[in-house]
Amino acid sequence: AGLPPLGFDPPVDIKAPLRPGAPWKPSKEKGLLPADPGLDGGKGGHWGATGEKDWADARWNAMDVGPFMMSSVDLPGGQVMKGLTIRLHDGAALFDTERCAWRAWWTGGFLKFSPARFGVIDMPKPGGEPTLLPATSPGRWLGHRLAGSRVVLIYERDGKRIEESPALVDGKFALGKAEGLSTPGPAIRVKGVVSTEKGPYVIDTIPLPFENPWKALMFPGGHDFFANGDAAVCTVHGDVWRVSGLDAELQNVAWERVATGLYQPLGLKIVDDVVYVQGRDQITRLSGPGVYDCFNNQRPTMGGHNYVACLETDAEGSFYGVGPTTLHRVSKDGARFEVVAGGFRNPNGMSIGPDGTITVAPQEGEWTPGSMICVAKPGGHYGFGGPKEGVEPPLCYLPRLMDNSTGGQAWVTSDRWGLRGQLLNFSFGRSSMQLVLRDGAQGAVVPFPLQFASGAMRGRFHPLDGQLYVSGMKGWVTNAVRDGCFQRVRYTGAPVTLPVAWRATAGALRITFATPLDRESTLDPDRWSLDQWNYRYAAKYGSEDYSAERPDQPGHDPVELKAIRLSADGREVTLEIPALRPVHQLRARYTLRTAAGAPVKSELVATIHALAK
């Protein structure tokens, strides 16, 4: 796809003076540097210091989830993968939306949610002893609506439209009709915190309504904006909230719970001011108050660690999301579902760029040596499942300490945020954000010096103020400190000191910065440090860091820097590296100054597939 537009084309000063690089001194360990320490400073091994006991949380059982819950349900003798459990007076009834059939009813309680991993890894179980119902012929699921506290199901069978509502009459299961519409609950008002920190990018916080009448859990998994600037935010435990008051001061923000009971929604998109939500079971269209239309439910639903995430649209209006191993597309009218690409391990994020470029971010695990960002091609396969002819390489890998578990990506489309045309990546595992720079089919990542309150999942630019809003949540193997977050990354107008382009050529790495650099500090070899390493593609969960020069030995190679050159305009640095080679990770750390004297301390980590001549 090539580099995105930068807004300038800095000239290269071929007459700029060269400065010798730091002398290369092999370490005592056969010339290798140690690999980076693990998470939490290496405590607790690969996973860090936290474990399953830290992620066990039964609060979902205390939450008022509303009159229904869409989920898979574990019944005696079998599982209902696309279930709709409806709360009745002293029990519940379970409808199978995949077959359009009633499967069971019970008394004594609603659903029991497992405490494991905040409740979202195991299927809920009936709150009482189920009475199984006889099978019926399949139908076509259309959706459901609320009628006061009643739930009305809508489907077709044998060409006939059916609307029915369950009830318990004299302790027995019965079906009938219900009229009337539901109304939203009360709004909860909060005051935001506008940052007073200096720097080009700062974080403003829109507090989540952690204290609310329903004890609703606030683990945001996606958001988008209405034309008037209000936001819709979905949470993984099933809710959708409308958020108003997103102005510059954030002093009168209101949260209104407008939908409940969805199946672990991890993606949300607003089209023509209508909310579409991606759950494990279906894309639901919220057509009005209390109206839950089934837009498309053709994707298979699986339990366990098999989530369906993100919701994006392309220029033609088709919808995209990612599932346990694939990128999928749903037609604009919701009638057709198709798999676009596969071989992704549990991707949690994706994006669609203005030019149609699609990224997908698989998670570290079996046959996925590290978290990575892939440019998805139709029919492409990206490695999960084992060796296969024609496996596509990723755009870039992500160092584990920078991003051990990747969220979504977002393209800078705002004229008011700087860095227009660039690609951003959000880290669920490190509650952070990176700039992703493309050199053709290979990429490099640069961290933003920002920290979110929870694991960053999604980012979108506001249609009115042009700033970036990020939603995130806690889960497992993340450094998140809060259950969730909704925060604004605001551009202050101060000079941006990040790199904005890079290029790997035979014998040289070129890095272009957004701001002119100070010549003396930039040409000082002691202010640069370079190392490299590879990963191993195997069935083992993840990969250690391996020497590129000694493939069987764990560790990093020190990289010899022969000379440094700075362009006449002070923006492009050329690092002469005689032994530059294709490698999974080449890291350049630097401590510099801008031409105006501001500190510039960061790192660029590149994945090099090929060297340009």
Side-chain angles (χ1 to χ4, degrees):
L3 288 171
L6 299 176
F8 58 88
D9 184 17
V12 178
D13 180 10
I14 61 174
K15 297 181 180 179
L18 292 177
R19 288 284 296 272
W24 181 63
K25 296 180 179 179
S27 72
K28 296 179 181 179
E29 300 294 329
K30 299 181 180 179
L32 293 181
L33 301 172
D36 291 342
L39 301 180
D40 301 323
K43 298 178 180 178
H46 186 79
W47 298 108
T50 58
E52 296 293 341
K53 61 180 175 53
D54 302 288
W55 314 321
D57 190 322
R59 283 180 294 160
W60 201 356
N61 288 292
M63 173 179 167
D64 178 358
V65 300
F68 66 89
M69 175 56 66
M70 304 176 78
S71 71
S72 300
V73 179
D74 196 358
L75 285 179
Q79 297 174 333
V80 177
M81 300 311 300
K82 296 178 186 280
L84 175 61
T85 304
I86 299 171
R87 188 190 302 274
L88 303 178
H89 175 64
D90 59 349
L94 173 62
F95 187 81
D96 186 336
T97 64
E98 191 170 23
R99 297 184 56 203
C100 287
W102 292 99
R103 298 292 298 275
W105 65 276
W106 57 87
T107 59
F110 183 50
L111 288 171
K112 296 178 181 178
F113 299 105
S114 166
R117 298 194 179 189
F118 302 95
V120 299
I121 192 74
D122 295 329
M123 297 181 188
K125 298 180 183 296
E129 185 65 30
T131 298
L132 302 183
L133 295 170
T136 57
S137 60
R140 186 170 74 93
W141 174 238
L142 299 177
H144 62 289
R145 62 180 175 85
L146 300 184
S149 61
R150 299 280 296 275
V151 179
V152 180
L153 283 66
I154 308 167
Y155 59 97
E156 290 180 350
R157 178 178 288 132
D158 300 327
K160 295 181 180 179
R161 180 182 174 93
I162 299 173
E163 294 192 20
E164 59 191 17
S165 181
L168 290 180
V169 179
D170 298 328
K172 298 293 183 180
F173 176 73
L175 294 173
K177 294 185 178 181
E179 304 296 336
L181 293 176
S182 67
T183 56
I188 301 172
R189 299 193 177 275
V190 298
K191 288 186 177 181
V193 179
V194 178
S195 175
T196 58
E197 293 185 4
K198 306 299 181 181
Y201 296 101
V202 298
I203 294 180
D204 302 328
T205 297
I206 301 103
L208 300 176
F210 293 112
E211 301 295 327
N212 60 76
W214 310 278
K215 297 183 179 179
L217 301 179
M218 301 301 300
F219 287 64
H223 68 279
D224 202 1
F225 297 101
F226 295 95
N228 72 348
D230 288 359
V233 178
C234 64
T235 65
V236 74
H237 294 94
D239 293 344
V240 176
W241 297 74
R242 183 161 184 153
V243 190
S244 59
L246 299 177
D247 56 18
E249 292 78 24
L250 300 177
Q251 292 303 291
N252 190 26
V253 177
W255 290 78
E256 184 182 12
R257 195 185 190 207
V258 296
T260 62
L262 299 173
Y263 190 174
Q264 296 179 12
L266 290 173
L268 185 149
K269 182 69 176 177
I270 296 177
V271 179
D272 296 330
D273 264 8
V274 176
V275 176
Y276 295 75
V277 187
Q278 175 75 76
R280 273 213 210 198
D281 53 347
Q282 66 181 40
I283 299 175
T284 301
R285 180 174 58 207
L286 303 178
S287 299
V291 180
Y292 299 77
D293 293 333
C294 175
F295 183 69
N296 184 280
N297 67 345
Q298 296 169 350
R299 171 184 267 285
T301 297
M302 294 178 280
H305 196 296
N306 291 292
Y307 303 97
V308 182
C310 283
L311 195 59
E312 304 292 340
T313 53
D314 64 15
E316 286 72 42
S318 297
F319 291 80
Y320 292 75
V322 287
T325 62
T326 60
L327 166 72
H328 66 263
R329 174 169 55 217
V330 172
S331 60
K332 182 178 181 180
D333 61 1
R336 299 182 308 281
F337 169 92
E338 59 183 326
V339 171
V340 178
F344 305 110
R345 183 189 180 275
N346 295 117
N348 181 30
M350 62 158 297
S351 74
I352 301 180
D355 63 353
T357 299
I358 299 176
T359 65
V360 176
Q363 305 287 305
E364 174 197 62
E366 303 87 351
W367 299 110
T368 308
S371 292
M372 57 192 187
I373 300 172
C374 302
V375 173
K377 302 175 183 178
H381 190 274
Y382 292 83
F384 178 65
K388 181 177 180 178
E389 185 177 353
V391 171
E392 298 282 348
L395 175 72
C396 60
Y397 289 100
L398 295 137
R400 200 158 193 270
L401 291 184
M402 187 184 292
D403 183 9
N404 65 294
S405 182
T406 307
Q409 295 80 55
W411 300 78
V412 182
T413 56
S414 170
D415 291 322
R416 301 177 62 183
W417 200 78
L419 300 174
R420 184 176 175 87
Q422 298 281 14
L423 177 62
L424 306 174
N425 179 66
F426 302 99
S427 173
F428 165 78
R430 299 292 89 192
S431 306
S432 61
M433 182 172 78
Q434 298 86 35
L435 183 62
V436 183
L437 306 175
R438 293 181 295 160
D439 174 18
Q442 53 198 19
V445 287
V446 179
F448 275 78
L450 301 172
Q451 190 73 25
F452 298 106
S454 200
M457 294 281 282
R458 315 285 175 243
R460 294 197 190 276
F461 286 90
H462 196 279
L464 302 182
D465 69 22
Q467 302 306 304
L468 175 67
Y469 287 68
V470 176
S471 58
M473 56 177 273
K474 185 181 286 187
W476 43 96
V477 199
T478 173
N479 66 353
V481 296
R482 303 297 302 271
D483 284 353
C485 68
F486 190 43
Q487 296 180 285
R488 177 172 66 195
V489 181
R490 175 167 47 87
Y491 177 50
T492 66
V496 177
T497 60
L498 296 169
V500 291
W502 74 288
R503 188 164 179 78
T505 64
L509 178 70
R510 296 176 180 174
I511 306 174
T512 303
F513 287 79
T515 300
L517 299 175
D518 163 70
R519 185 170 296 275
E520 181 180 0
S521 62
T522 303
L523 299 182
D524 183 350
D526 291 334
R527 292 177 177 265
W528 293 88
S529 174
L530 287 84
D531 61 339
Q532 66 183 11
W533 65 95
N534 279 338
Y535 299 119
R536 185 169 292 173
Y537 175 65
K540 177 185 175 183
Y541 194 105
S543 173
E544 294 184 69
D545 298 355
Y546 289 94
S547 163
E549 297 179 355
R550 302 174 178 87
D552 292 330
Q553 297 186 27
H556 293 187
D557 303 313
V559 176
E560 179 186 7
L561 174 59
K562 182 179 181 181
I564 307 170
R565 180 184 289 130
L566 183 64
S567 63
D569 68 352
R571 296 179 189 267
E572 183 175 86
V573 180
T574 299
L575 305 177
E576 291 203 0
I577 305 170
L580 189 64
R581 59 187 293 173
V583 68
H584 288 154
Q585 305 273 232
L586 172 70
R587 178 167 58 189
R589 289 172 165 165
Y590 48 87
T591 303
L592 314 172
R593 295 190 302 270
T594 67
V600 181
K601 182 178 181 180
S602 190
E603 61 185 358
L604 177 146
V605 187
T607 295
I608 303 176
H609 299 305
L611 301 175
K613 295 181 180 180

